[in-house]
Every structure is written in structure tokens, then in C-alpha cells.
Amino acid sequence: DYTPDDAMGYVENTKKILVPMANEVSAIQTYRIPMEYDDALSTIPWAVSLVDTNLGKVWNSMMEYGVHDFESLPNKQSGGFTTTLYGYDTPFAYTNWAEDLSSASTMIHEFGHFYDSWIRYDEDVVQNLDIAEVYSQGLELLTSKYYEKFTEYPDEGRQAMLSRFINPLIYQLMLEEFQQEVYKLETLDTESIAQLYTDLLDEYGYGDPTSDDLDYTWYSITHLFDAPFYTVSYWTSAVVALQIWAESQDDWDAAAKLYMDMMNADQNQPFTQLVTSVGLKDPGDAAVLQEIADNMLDAFDLSGSGLPNAA
């Protein structure tokens, strides 16, 4: 329920507010935090239960019925996803354990999707990509409060987790501007497209100041071809999830309630209507972006002593 013009409003606000923040955050080195698989399996259900007891119950059901694949095995694909096993009438969560806190965060991320699918399996819900990622990203952010139970480096772990939000906040939104501008080009050839892409990379802080070459790597971004104008959904969901995180900095219990209120709301509402119905703000609100930027900068103003080895 937002228009191309609305999306360009997101672009302008992001360039004014979030890009300067991201340039500062990106200059800070983050670290790989080691973690054992068994420790993650014992800690995650405890952490998600603090958000809501039903989350813990569904986690236990997921484990009991074996509708997951989290272990590290040879030749497994990296990353994670959640899908549906229609023959078993259940969602299924997949990750590839990499012996670190980031792997635990990925498990929590995918469990957010799993829970969303589990409680709505028999409902007629229209898939809304802007909403779906809120449940995965939001759960990651909320449970990071309890990283003291996950690792002896909780602050550094939170930094590393938050740094991963720079991509949806900046690069994925840059691709929205890129796509809108591509279709306005009078000469639609590879060199013109590469020039536009290179100029935008420079504007958003991703450019290479040592090179005068055009960047042609836009062609490898499959979403541009198989799901045009999809990438803005990474941004909208991240901004909503980070609103919940911003609330958690002042009142974690209230933030957890916001998350569950959104999870339990009518999912067939238009995106911004669903967001505002639970007391959150439209992602296009510049004040929201400013709060996120301020909280991100505060989170990265941490001591660098006693860190584990950088990845």
C-alpha cells in the first residue's frame, strides 16, 4: 500500500539520515564470536520463551518432530531458509551451523519465519513480503538482549548482529532507486546501466574511490530480473523491526508485546495499516529513521577491549 513515489521518499530520507550513520558504523570492525552448537540449542528456546511462552512451545515442537536441519554437515549450503513440507503439513527450518554466535542468530531468524508459518498454517493469508521479514529480524533483535547467556562477549555480539542490518537499510534500498532510474533511461544499454549503478554506489558509500572503472556487477543481482522492485521490502521490514528494537532499549517487555501484537494481528491488512494498528509508525516517518540512526550509533560506542580474534 505504498507507491513508487513513497519508495523514493524512503530513498531521500535514507540518504539524509541512515547513510551517514552507516558510513560510521561500517568503519567499525566487528568480530566472529565462537559458540558451540549444543549451547545454542539449550539457550535459544529459553531466550525466545522470554519474548512469549508460545514461542518456546513451538520451538520444542519443531525439535520434537524434527522439522528442522540446523547441524553442520559436509556439502550443506550456507545461510538459512524456511519452507513448507506440504506432505507433512508443517513448515521446515534450515540453517548450516558455523560454530559461532551468528549461526545462532540465523537459527533465531529462521525460527521467526517458522513460528509465523506454524501458527497460520491453516489460515488463508496473503503472503506479504514486507511483513514476513519483520518476524525473523525482530526476533533476532529482541533476543540479543540476552546475549550474556550466549557468550562472554555480548556487546560485541550485538554489534556484529546490528551491523548485518546495514545491508537492508542501505544497499537494498539503493537498488530501489537504481531500478526506478533504470526504467527512465533513454538509452537502455549495459554501459548506461553500469554508469547509473556506479554513480549510486558512490553516492551511498559503496564505491571504490581508487577506480575509474564502471561497475557491471548489477547483472548478477537476480532479484532485478526475477522479482523486480522486491528489494525495497528488505528495507521496510528492517525499519519496522528496528522500531521494535528501539522500543526495547527503553522497555524490553513493551517491545516484546509489540512484536507479538504484530504477529497475532490480521495479516491480510495492508502493510502500513498493520504496522500502525499495533502502535508502530510508518517506515516513511523521518523521525523513526532518526531514532534508529541514533540508537545504532549508541550501540557501536562500545569498548573494544578483550575481543576474540577477528574473522
Side-chain angles (χ1 to χ4, degrees):
D1 61 333
Y2 53 87
T3 68
D5 287 342
D6 291 333
M8 287 305 294
Y10 302 161
V11 165
E12 292 308 312
N13 284 335
T14 292
K15 286 195 281 192
K16 290 176 184 176
I17 300 169
L18 295 182
V19 168
M21 174 276 294
N23 288 338
E24 291 189 50
V25 168
S26 297
I28 299 174
Q29 187 176 22
T30 57
Y31 295 83
R32 178 179 180 271
I33 312 295
M35 188 174 191
E36 297 293 329
Y37 180 70
D38 289 343
D39 291 340
L41 289 186
S42 63
T43 309
I44 291 174
W46 168 83
V48 299
S49 292
L50 294 175
V51 178
D52 190 272
T53 56
N54 285 327
L55 287 166
K57 292 175 182 177
V58 172
W59 174 277
N60 291 335
S61 294
M62 178 184 69
M63 302 302 292
E64 178 184 355
Y65 294 116
V67 285
H68 66 281
D69 182 0
F70 293 149
E71 293 182 79
S72 175
L73 296 171
N75 303 319
K76 275 184 71 174
Q77 177 179 303
S78 60
F81 61 84
T82 300
T83 188
T84 300
L85 302 181
Y86 292 101
Y88 293 88
D89 292 332
T90 180
F92 182 91
Y94 172 100
T95 68
N96 188 12
W97 183 254
E99 304 294 336
D100 57 14
L101 181 61
S102 178
S103 299
S105 186
T106 300
M107 288 166 67
I108 293 168
H109 179 106
E110 295 307 326
F111 178 65
H113 288 309
F114 184 97
Y115 182 81
D116 179 27
S117 297
W118 180 279
I119 65 172
R120 269 180 276 278
Y121 191 84
D122 294 325
E123 296 181 15
D124 185 16
V125 176
V126 177
Q127 185 182 29
N128 189 320
L129 297 172
D130 297 276
I131 296 169
E133 288 295 333
V134 175
Y135 300 137
S136 53
Q137 295 168 335
L139 195 58
E140 282 187 89
L141 289 160
L142 285 170
T143 53
S144 70
K145 171 181 170 63
Y146 297 101
Y147 272 2
E148 280 80 3
K149 295 289 187 179
F150 286 74
T151 175
E152 61 183 304
Y153 304 105
D155 289 337
E156 292 73 33
R158 282 186 279 266
Q159 281 187 319
M161 186 267 297
L162 286 169
S163 70
R164 294 196 294 275
F165 277 82
I166 298 302
N167 179 279
L169 286 176
I170 309 301
Y171 181 73
Q172 298 298 332
L173 192 65
M174 185 206 78
L175 292 178
E176 171 68 18
E177 182 174 8
F178 173 62
Q179 289 174 93
Q180 290 210 30
E181 294 302 321
V182 157
Y183 290 104
K184 297 176 184 176
L185 291 175
E186 293 184 5
T187 303
L188 195 64
D189 56 33
T190 55
E191 184 173 349
S192 299
I193 296 172
Q195 183 66 63
L196 172 62
Y197 185 66
T198 303
D199 291 344
L200 287 173
L201 286 174
D202 291 339
E203 187 174 356
Y204 281 79
Y206 290 102
D208 181 359
T210 66
S211 174
D212 293 326
D213 296 334
L214 296 181
D215 192 315
Y216 286 86
T217 57
W218 56 268
Y219 80 89
S220 65
I221 306 168
T222 58
H223 284 346
L224 301 182
F225 305 98
D226 61 25
F229 298 100
Y230 163 67
T231 60
V232 67
S233 294
Y234 288 115
W235 184 89
T236 53
S237 60
V239 170
V240 175
L242 285 164
Q243 280 188 64
I244 296 172
W245 171 71
E247 174 68 22
S248 76
Q249 303 307 291
D250 297 321
D251 188 338
W252 188 88
D253 290 335
K257 183 178 184 302
L258 272 175
Y259 174 84
M260 294 308 298
D261 285 348
M262 190 166 177
M263 178 74 79
N264 294 323
D266 175 8
Q267 302 299 297
N268 286 320
Q269 298 178 72
F271 169 64
T272 55
Q273 182 176 315
L274 172 55
V275 169
T276 57
S277 74
V278 299
L280 294 165
K281 296 178 181 178
D282 188 315
D285 188 334
V288 169
L289 302 189
Q290 188 62 60
E291 183 179 24
I292 288 171
D294 292 343
N295 277 316
M296 289 279 274
L297 290 172
D298 286 345
F300 279 83
D301 187 20
L302 301 169
S303 170
S305 61
L307 299 179
N309 292 329

